Amino acid sequence: MLDRSYKIVARVVVNVMPKAEILDPQGKAVVRALDLIGVEGVSDVRQGKRFELEVDESVTAADLEKIAEVLLANTVIEDYEVVGVEVAQ
Amino acid sequence: MLDRSYKIVARVVVNVMPKAEILDPQGKAVVRALDLIGVEGVSDVRQGKRFELEVDESVTAADLEKIAEVLLANTVIEDYEVVGVEVAQ
């Protein structure tokens, strides 16, 4: 986890994807469009969202879960994952 | 005995994000909404797209670049990265 001994800014990524059992018309549209640009071999595409958050050291893992669950994802139809990417002083 | 009658399928992720110099109203809306749920310490949010593609072994790296550049991203205002995630036989 974050080292609390100095000022930190971290970039956190939250990925939000449609649940597997939910239809994804945007992804299906991409699959169909692949014919137009002559690419074969792509059997499925799912489209979701990627959020990049710049957070300071006061933001806890619980905060990030809350942000993802309440604000970024609709958990009825979407799954999310919180990924810490890089930490810079 | 190894069954070669089915194809190798890989999951490829393409991340598409607004370029740094481009305004991101969706991300800004998230920052403002953070006040509503009582979270402080998030200085910036950028919202982009995440695509998960199921591809077989006939799809080349050049194909993936083409898909990302022509179909998934608007390269005037967005950057993309192609990330290979996992391969399953």
Side-chain angles (χ1 to χ4, degrees):
Chain A
M1 264 319 285
L2 297 181
D3 182 338
R4 302 293 185 188
S5 62
Y6 47 84
K7 178 75 174 179
I8 286 177
V9 174
R11 171 169 295 174
V12 175
V13 171
V14 179
N15 293 320
V16 176
M17 297 299 296
K19 286 181 190 283
E21 67 270 24
I22 300 290
L23 280 177
D24 175 16
Q26 291 176 302
K28 292 285 175 282
V30 172
V31 172
R32 286 194 298 271
L34 287 169
D35 281 339
L36 301 177
I37 63 169
V39 175
E40 295 181 347
V42 180
S43 55
D44 192 36
V45 177
R46 308 281 289 171
Q47 179 172 345
K49 290 174 281 188
R50 174 187 165 96
F51 297 90
E52 294 180 357
L53 287 69
E54 309 293 326
V55 306
D56 69 26
E57 80 286 355
S58 71
V59 177
T60 64
D63 287 334
L64 292 171
E65 286 291 317
K66 184 176 173 185
I67 292 169
E69 185 157 349
V70 175
L71 208 54
L72 304 183
N74 176 346
T75 56
V76 176
I77 57 170
E78 293 170 325
D79 291 321
Y80 66 87
E81 58 171 356
V82 178
V83 189
V85 170
E86 55 197 35
V87 176
Q89 292 184 44
Chain B
M1 194 173 146
L2 222 54
D3 182 356
R4 295 293 187 195
S5 64
Y6 52 87
K7 291 183 171 181
I8 294 173
V9 175
R11 172 168 295 175
V12 175
V13 171
V14 179
N15 293 320
V16 176
M17 297 300 295
K19 286 180 189 284
E21 65 271 24
I22 299 290
L23 281 177
D24 175 16
Q26 292 177 301
K28 292 285 175 282
V30 172
V31 173
R32 286 193 297 272
L34 287 168
D35 280 340
L36 300 177
I37 63 169
V39 175
E40 295 180 348
V42 180
S43 55
D44 192 36
V45 176
R46 308 281 289 171
Q47 178 173 347
K49 291 174 280 188
R50 175 188 165 94
F51 297 90
E52 294 180 357
L53 287 69
E54 308 294 325
V55 305
D56 69 28
E57 80 285 357
S58 72
V59 177
T60 64
D63 287 335
L64 292 171
E65 287 290 317
K66 184 177 174 184
I67 292 169
E69 186 157 349
V70 176
L71 208 54
L72 304 183
N74 176 347
T75 56
V76 177
I77 58 171
E78 293 169 326
D79 291 321
Y80 66 86
E81 58 171 357
V82 178
V83 189
V85 171
E86 55 197 36
V87 176
Q89 295 196 22

